[in-house]
């Protein structure tokens, strides 16, 4: 798969880091390991969770996401390892 996303198991796959501000996506799976994976799961980034990109910081990184009623800032390094289906 390329960085711009593509068809994957019948759904439109992309990385969370590519989600445009104001758009929503559904989490499909994480490609993270170890403690950072545990942190993402604890924040509610589990399969089928709806995530909305709210805003980018003035420097462009991190980006604020609305996840299960909370606003969470994720760096692009982390968001690029979260596979989502764009709604």
């Amino acid at each position: 798969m390329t960085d711009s996303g593509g068809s994957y198991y019948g759904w439109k796959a992309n990385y969370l880091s590519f989600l445009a501000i104001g758009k929503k996506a559904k989490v499909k799976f994480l490609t993270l390991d170890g403690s950072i994976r545990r942190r993402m799961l604890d924040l509610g980034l589990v399969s089928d969770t709806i995530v909305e990109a709210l805003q980018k910081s003035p420097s462009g990184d991190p980006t604020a996401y609305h996840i299960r009623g909370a606003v969470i800032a994720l760096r692009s390094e982390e968001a690029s390892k979260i596979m989502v289906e764009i709604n």
Side-chain angles (χ1 to χ4, degrees), residues 1-19:
M1 178 168 30
T2 66
D3 281 348
S4 61
S7 182
Y8 190 79
Y9 293 115
W11 47 271
K12 180 68 176 164
N14 219 327
Y15 299 104
L16 182 59
S17 58
F18 288 108
L19 187 62

Side-chain angles (χ1 to χ4, degrees), residues 44-61:
L45 283 164
V46 296
S47 184
D48 294 333
T49 297
I50 301 297
V51 177
E52 179 181 6
L54 297 178
Q55 65 184 41
K56 289 189 179 283
S57 73
S59 65
D61 196 33

Side-chain angles (χ1 to χ4, degrees), residues 27-47:
V27 174
K28 292 313 238 177
F29 59 89
L30 307 179
T31 60
L32 296 158
D33 302 348
S35 63
I36 191 70
R37 179 181 177 80
R38 171 58 34 206
R39 179 176 173 258
M40 294 299 134
L41 293 171
D42 289 345
L43 290 172
L45 283 164
V46 296
S47 184

